[in-house]
Amino acid sequence: MNITKEQVDDLNAIVTVALSKEDYSEKVDTTLENYRKTANIPGFRKGHVPMGLVKKQYGKAVLLDEVNKMLQEALNNYLTEEKLDVLGNPLPMAQDEFDWDAEELTFKFELGLAPSFDIDFGKDAITHYNIVADEEMLNGQVERIQKQFGKLVGHKEVIKDAEITATFVNEEKEINNKATFTFDKIKSEEAAEKLLGTKIGETVTLSTKGLFEDDHDLMEVLKVSHDDAHGLDIEVTATIEESNTRDLAELNQELFDKLFGEGNVTSEEEMKAKIKEDAEKQFVQQSDQKLLNDVTETLIENAKFDLPAEFLVKWIQTAGENPMTEEEAKAEYEKSEKGLRYQLIEGKIITENNLQVTFDELKEFAKTYIKAQMAQFGQLDPSDEEVENITMRIMSNQEEVKRLSDQVMSQKMITFFKDNANLTVKEVTYEDFVKEAYS
């Protein structure tokens, strides 16, 4: 066997694999002999079929199969030994009138090579948001908790600040849904005037256009699709079922224990401090995700390198279960090019900085994840044995391991960016963060 490489350019190469009969004949003969022992051919006893007949019937198929196995193994070993960083898989080059009976079989494969490039974070600083829970947010959260655990007070008619339960109907659109919403969600002044003072059991007709501040509320109240809710302009009848307000719950030890466990919080100040701590933990996740997105965009924009586009389009044509046309493959390449560029950048960062995910790291992350999930269902103090058993079940599931590994690697990348990217820390409230980050 002889393998050679022709460098077409920096991003493309052709590998030639030459096989002599000595390379594959023994394996072919062994396979055919096994066929001979097991073949059921009319007129011959099992194990006594003439080899000539076996070769005539199975010889070419066995030859193709054994040669293909050898080629795959040889190519994989060659790419590893030569440390060639390839994109996609080697593509066999078509050869007209290939002679399978020749003394030497020669095969050519196209390779798409990964580009060489430098990591460049750019000159302009990237904003890293430090999101804080301000006093206004904390007061609002405390009031929401007081309302949630407060005493429900029923009214005979709709009043301001009420929680309204109504049944909405529109026969043409097949809408018939009972829903609860707060009066302050109403945007339409006309609808607000109609609803105010409406008694329990009475029906009013409302226009859906501009009914709520947010069309997503319309989607929930009417139980219509996301697309139907946006711009929906019809009339619905609303039969008032309930009109309730809530007396705010008293901020006392009973409420603190119900929310945070017995004795963990003993005052409104401690309650706010706990809410602030929990909220800002959640904010860190959102801030980190925003940072990851921004650094990713910056790296893709600043890392200037070419890709073996022509090769990749050809590879995409044959890589899936169903072959694509050249036009379909080009469209798919254009959609995936940005992601491929970041994969190369991320791979370079991981390799050069040894950011591998170890088994112990993955196991500890899984335990933390499991405890957090159990806490959401009220299991605040699970035993070590219980957590260990669940962890091992998760670690035996390849899909779960892949999902958790991606999360651990994402955290490693965020830490790397915090240490190495050109960042400017900006402290903002959550409201300002949403305005700045997603406007």
Side-chain angles (χ1 to χ4, degrees):
M1 182 188 302
N2 184 39
I3 303 181
T4 57
K5 177 171 71 77
E6 174 192 351
Q7 193 76 27
V8 178
D9 54 40
D10 290 342
L11 299 174
N12 295 274
I14 295 174
V15 169
T16 302
V17 182
L19 300 176
S20 65
K21 283 190 174 181
E22 288 76 13
D23 293 323
Y24 57 81
S25 58
E26 184 177 346
K27 290 186 177 181
V28 170
D29 290 343
T30 300
T31 303
L32 288 173
E33 181 60 34
N34 291 333
Y35 271 51
R36 179 174 177 267
K37 292 176 183 178
T38 58
N40 289 311
I41 297 179
F44 298 95
R45 284 185 300 147
K46 191 174 183 179
H48 291 77
V49 180
M51 181 56 77
L53 186 58
V54 173
K55 285 185 177 180
K56 182 177 180 181
Q57 188 161 346
Y58 301 108
K60 183 59 67 70
V62 170
L63 174 61
L64 266 64
D65 186 50
E66 292 298 335
V67 166
N68 184 57
K69 290 178 185 176
M70 290 189 70
L71 287 173
Q72 292 301 320
E73 183 179 358
L75 278 171
N76 289 336
N77 291 339
Y78 179 77
L79 296 177
T80 301
E81 291 167 3
E82 296 296 316
K83 297 180 179 178
L84 293 177
D85 192 2
V86 300
L87 302 179
N89 294 316
L91 290 178
M93 298 177 68
Q95 300 181 63
D96 296 332
E97 299 180 3
F98 190 84
D99 184 7
W100 285 95
D101 296 320
E103 290 297 316
E104 184 176 82
L105 303 179
T106 302
F107 304 88
K108 293 180 179 292
F109 297 86
E110 291 181 77
L111 300 182
L113 305 177
S116 177
F117 59 91
D118 296 320
I119 302 295
D120 181 11
F121 287 105
K123 295 179 181 179
D124 295 334
I126 300 168
T127 300
H128 181 210
Y129 292 96
N130 177 28
I131 310 171
V132 296
D134 61 351
E135 195 65 23
E136 183 179 353
M137 170 180 274
L138 295 176
N139 290 335
Q141 184 63 22
V142 169
E143 185 176 343
R144 279 190 288 274
I145 291 172
Q146 287 182 279
K147 284 184 177 179
Q148 180 183 350
F149 290 91
K151 181 182 177 183
L152 200 66
V153 179
H155 300 271
K156 295 180 179 180
E157 61 184 32
V158 174
I159 64 172
K160 285 186 177 180
D161 301 325
E163 292 179 10
I164 305 165
T165 299
T167 298
F168 293 86
V169 176
N170 178 290
E171 293 183 1
E172 184 181 349
K173 291 287 186 178
E174 297 182 345
I175 294 170
N176 190 327
N177 188 60
K178 185 177 180 179
T180 300
F181 59 97
T182 55
F183 186 83
D184 60 4
K185 290 285 185 74
I186 298 294
K187 178 184 177 182
S188 167
E189 292 183 6
E190 180 183 350
E193 288 178 7
K194 284 185 176 182
L195 285 167
L196 274 178
T198 301
K199 292 180 171 50
I200 304 302
E202 291 183 344
T203 299
V204 293
T205 300
L206 305 173
S207 171
T208 60
K209 186 176 182 180
L211 180 59
F212 293 104
E213 290 283 352
D214 189 342
D215 282 343
H216 291 94
D217 290 325
L218 194 64
M219 181 174 70
E220 290 299 318
V221 165
L222 301 184
K223 279 293 180 283
V224 294
S225 70
H226 183 275
D227 290 341
D228 285 344
H230 285 282
L232 184 64
D233 187 5
I234 59 173
E235 287 190 339
V236 293
T237 59
T239 301
I240 307 303
E241 310 284 348
E242 295 180 40
S243 173
N244 300 308
T245 56
R246 289 180 183 268
D247 287 345
L248 298 183
E250 186 180 347
L251 295 176
N252 55 23
Q253 195 60 48
E254 181 183 356
L255 179 61
F256 300 150
D257 290 347
K258 189 180 295 184
L259 291 169
F260 306 106
E262 188 173 350
N264 291 321
V265 170
T266 59
S267 67
E268 182 179 350
E269 290 71 24
E270 289 182 10
M271 176 184 182
K272 284 185 176 180
K274 180 64 175 171
I275 293 172
K276 180 179 177 68
E277 179 187 353
D278 291 343
E280 290 181 352
K281 282 181 182 178
Q282 297 297 319
F283 295 161
V284 167
Q285 296 178 11
Q286 295 185 55
S287 173
D288 283 352
Q289 186 58 54
K290 174 62 176 169
L291 176 64
L292 183 61
N293 294 342
D294 290 346
V295 174
T296 297
E297 291 293 331
T298 298
L299 288 173
I300 292 172
E301 182 179 344
N302 293 333
K304 305 297 183 184
F305 56 82
D306 292 326
L307 293 170
E310 186 176 341
F311 168 84
L312 289 171
V313 169
K314 280 198 244 179
W315 175 67
I316 290 171
Q317 279 186 265
T318 59
E321 292 183 8
N322 300 314
M324 293 185 181
T325 65
E326 184 177 353
E327 290 73 21
E328 290 172 333
K330 283 181 178 178
E332 185 64 28
Y333 171 72
E334 289 174 2
K335 285 193 294 184
S336 60
E337 181 184 358
K338 192 173 182 180
L340 175 57
R341 287 181 178 277
Y342 183 67
Q343 284 180 23
L344 291 170
I345 294 168
E346 183 183 54
K348 185 178 179 71
I349 292 173
I350 290 171
T351 301
E352 292 183 350
N353 297 277
N354 195 29
L355 302 181
Q356 305 303 321
V357 177
T358 67
F359 177 82
D360 288 341
E361 287 175 328
L362 186 59
K363 187 175 179 181
E364 284 305 308
F365 183 83
K367 285 184 177 180
T368 302
Y369 171 78
I370 290 164
K371 288 178 181 178
Q373 292 292 103
M374 295 175 78
Q376 290 184 5
F377 293 95
Q379 291 181 266
L380 301 177
D381 190 25
S383 68
D384 292 342
E385 182 181 2
E386 187 177 8
V387 173
E388 181 72 21
N389 289 337
I390 297 173
T391 300
M392 296 315 295
R393 284 203 300 272
I394 288 178
M395 297 291 280
S396 66
N397 185 316
Q398 289 187 351
E399 289 185 5
E400 280 296 304
V401 169
K402 173 67 168 60
R403 185 178 66 82
L404 294 175
S405 294
D406 288 344
Q407 291 183 40
V408 175
M409 181 53 70
S410 179
Q411 285 301 315
K412 284 179 175 280
M413 294 298 291
I414 289 170
T415 300
F416 176 82
F417 292 149
K418 286 179 179 178
D419 292 339
N420 294 274
N422 181 16
L423 304 181
T424 296
V425 177
K426 183 175 183 179
E427 185 173 294
V428 292
T429 65
Y430 182 72
E431 184 178 352
D432 288 340
F433 168 74
V434 172
K435 289 178 182 177
E436 289 191 29
Y438 301 109
S439 59

